[in-house]
Amino acid sequence: MATFVDRVVLHASGGDGGNGCASIRREKFKPLAGPDGGNGGDGGTVRIVVDSQTTTLLEFHHSPHRHATSGTQGMGDHRAGAAGGDLVLRVPDGTVIKDTDGNVLADLVGEGAEYVAAAGGRGGLGNAALASQRRKAPGFALLGEPGEEADFVLEVKSIADVALVGFPSAGKSSLVAAISAARPKIADYPFTTLVPNLGVVQAGDSRYTVADVPGLIPGASQGKGLGLEFLRHIERTAVIVHVLDCATLEPDRDPISDLEALEAELDAYAGDLDIEGARLPLNERPRLVVLNKIDVPEARELAELVRPDLEARGLRVFEISTASHEGLRPLTFALAELVDQARRDAPAPAPARTILRPKAVDDAGFTVTRKGGAETGFYYEVRGSKPERWVRQTDFSNDEAVGYLADRLARLGVEEKLFKAGAVAGDEVRIGSDKNAVVFDWEPTLITGSELLGGPRGSDLRLEDTARPTRSDKRREYTERMDAKAEARAELWTERESGHWTDPDQD
């Protein structure tokens, strides 16, 4: 069974928020003493944190689905629900987080580096929090929001200063064991090294790390053999060392052909240049050539033969023997010099910036778009964080809750935007994404002009006159009323004199 895993697919989901409670307080002689429903608890969040004691992603290989704790429901007597606990996932230093499309989302370098993978949902408000002067006893509460769900690809990319590149059994593990205190597995068969091994080298006042990774073969950049697993772990390194086997028994191999094959694979591999320590492509980084196993007489002769050709290509060449430790000291100091130079040339880390994105003056917080065609029918799509969150929190089995949602949408200006977009009563409206949208036939609050839709639900601004009459208006109204009375009395007197009021029985 594998004990080292450096690439996994993680399915993370935050905890759901608890529902609010709709409750009415009951006291002695007061059966309806007011709303007292508490709020629901917030859901827990999934966080990915770097831990120096963690060296593999094996835990997520066996259990890829991770879910944070959900919040509990609110209760009566103003008791709020408990919040869900955050789920902390510990990963090795140098873990890169990508989405399923391969885009880098975060590069976690350093102890305590953190990334929020899935935020928890908000808890719903209870009816006590929804009470107001106009709605003194709400008979509903808001539902809790579901937690976020997302899939991620976690990749461990070793953090080392020097990477040893070479064919299987070229002596990379032996070189790490000879120049550091690391003790990787060493055997006389190809692909002995299946997992990266890191060794710390002390050369004078300089200290740096060397990575021993699985062997490279032609076609590794396309995934042949362990190529991708190998190349992933050298993306952060500052110096690349080509370890060439001068004592190979394979007839079609020699140090020159091995070097050309290794260089071709480095040229063909496209790494993530936007992660820490990977600003340059692999083929542009400082390189050294090590001719190994010169303790064998034939290997020493071959090394002396190919050295001029390698130096003519502008490469520094070192002849070493991991068995007799010959030539190791000059090699370690040369690597220390290159590593120190790379550290000096590295740009200083940019200070953390606080990015402010103020809201635009004409930004309503949502959009209304007409979609569809003549064949499938037209509909209006409403997108925005507030409308979509309000829809998720609404209990559509409660008519009062649906009316509260309608009031909120009207105050936000959704109906106004629908009018401007050309919507009429009965048109289909969708709030949310296509995968999880709430669909309904739109019935405007008032079917008159949109300028009269600003009043509260159940009211008509046309019937309300809030203007106070002035003193001159009152005087004019009084004069008109007195004149009307005088005219009425004069008309009655004229009718009386003309005999219209004469009793025919008395004549």
Side-chain angles (χ1 to χ4, degrees), residues 212-233:
D212 165 35
V213 289
L216 183 64
I217 61 175
S221 58
Q222 283 75 38
K224 186 176 181 180
L226 300 178
L228 295 180
E229 285 73 8
F230 160 82
L231 292 167
R232 181 184 305 128
H233 291 279

Side-chain angles (χ1 to χ4, degrees), residues 84-131:
D86 291 349
L87 177 62
V88 178
L89 306 179
R90 306 190 182 278
V91 296
D93 193 5
T95 300
V96 177
I97 303 176
K98 301 180 180 181
D99 58 15
T100 54
D101 296 330
N103 301 316
V104 177
L105 302 177
D107 182 19
L108 303 182
V109 177
E111 178 72 16
E114 179 180 313
Y115 177 75
V116 177
R122 296 184 183 181
L125 297 179
N127 64 342
L130 298 174

